[in-house]
Each structure stands twice: as structure tokens, then as C-alpha cells.
């Protein structure tokens, strides 16, 4: 990743409001969480506070994961947009080689 292409912002992005916690998760996200964690999640509020989705090679859209406390996306190489993850306290993006704009991470 070329450091010259990354732009930093002085303030982290705000995640979606808590009202969006009642919105249903996408079918793909529900399936992935069930496969990785063995739990059924229908809404963002159902997601665990800490989530490890390492090696989820088909994962592209992480916009639904912005309200988590800890998120590990190690080797998720298709992710390009992490703007919704600005309030995740502990975030592992190692080997996420297609990231374009990480300014939302502060």
C-alpha cells in the first residue's frame, strides 16, 4: 500500500446512529457470522461486541460492522472501503491489501 495515496482526517468518522441497529443484516453477513461464530444474527444489535472474520476471502462490504468494539479482518483482501469502521476500538486490517481510503479511522 502506497502511503502517498492514503489521506488522513483529523477527526474519525461517525458510525451510523443506534436507530440503524434494528435494521436487518444482509443475507451474506448473516451467513458469514453464522459460519464463523455459530450464532444467528438478524440485526446489527444481535452482533457480538467482538467479532473475528479473519480469512473471509469473499467479504467486501463491512459497512454493517461499524458498531462493534473489536473487529478482526485479517486476510480479508477484497475490502476497499472501511469508512463505517471509524468507531471500532480495536481493528485488525492486516493483509487487507486493497484498502483505498483509511481517513475515517483517524
Amino acid at each position: 500500500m502506497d502511503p502517498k495515496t492514503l489521506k488522513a482526517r483529523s477527526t474519525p468518522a461517525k458510525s451510523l446512529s443506534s436507530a440503524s441497529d434494528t435494521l436487518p443484516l444482509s443475507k451474506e453477513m448473516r451467513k458469514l457470522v453464522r459460519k464463523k461464530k455459530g450464532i444467528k444474527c438478524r440485526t446489527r444489535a444481535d452482533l457480538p461486541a467482538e467479532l473475528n472474520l479473519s480469512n473471509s476471502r469473499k467479504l467486501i462490504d463491512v459497512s454493517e460492522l461499524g458498531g462493534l468494539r473489536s473487529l478482526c479482518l485479517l486476510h480479508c483482501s477484497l475490502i476497499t472501503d472501511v469508512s463505517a469502521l471509524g468507531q471500532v476500538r480495536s481493528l485488525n486490517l492486516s493483509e487487507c491489501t486493497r484498502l483505498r481510503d483509511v481517513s475515517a479511522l483517524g
Side-chain angles (χ1 to χ4, degrees):
M1 193 169 5
D2 184 11
K4 293 178 183 175
T5 61
L6 299 177
K7 298 177 183 178
R9 213 164 60 176
S10 60
T11 57
K14 304 264 190 255
S15 67
L16 298 174
S17 69
S18 59
S20 65
D21 288 348
T22 59
L23 294 175
L25 291 171
S26 66
K27 181 179 178 180
E28 294 81 14
M29 187 59 69
R30 289 193 314 260
K31 189 175 179 180
L32 180 61
V33 171
R34 186 171 185 188
K35 177 182 176 185
K36 292 284 190 172
K37 294 288 285 182
I39 57 174
K40 291 182 182 179
C41 295
R42 289 236 173 265
T43 66
R44 287 180 54 184
D46 296 336
L47 288 170
E50 299 179 359
L51 190 56
N52 184 343
L53 298 178
S54 295
N55 299 308
S56 300
R57 306 238 184 238
K58 295 181 181 180
L59 180 62
I60 297 172
D61 183 9
V62 294
S63 61
E64 298 172 295
L65 304 175
L68 301 179
R69 180 176 56 218
S70 177
L71 180 60
C72 181
L73 298 171
L74 179 70
H75 295 290
C76 296
S77 57
L78 295 180
I79 298 171
T80 58
D81 182 8
V82 292
S83 60
L85 305 180
Q87 292 187 340
V88 175
R89 292 181 193 159
S90 174
L91 181 61
N92 185 344
L93 296 171
S94 299
E95 302 300 323
C96 294
T97 55
R98 294 187 184 185
L99 296 178
R100 296 293 173 245
D101 182 8
V102 294
S103 62
L105 303 180

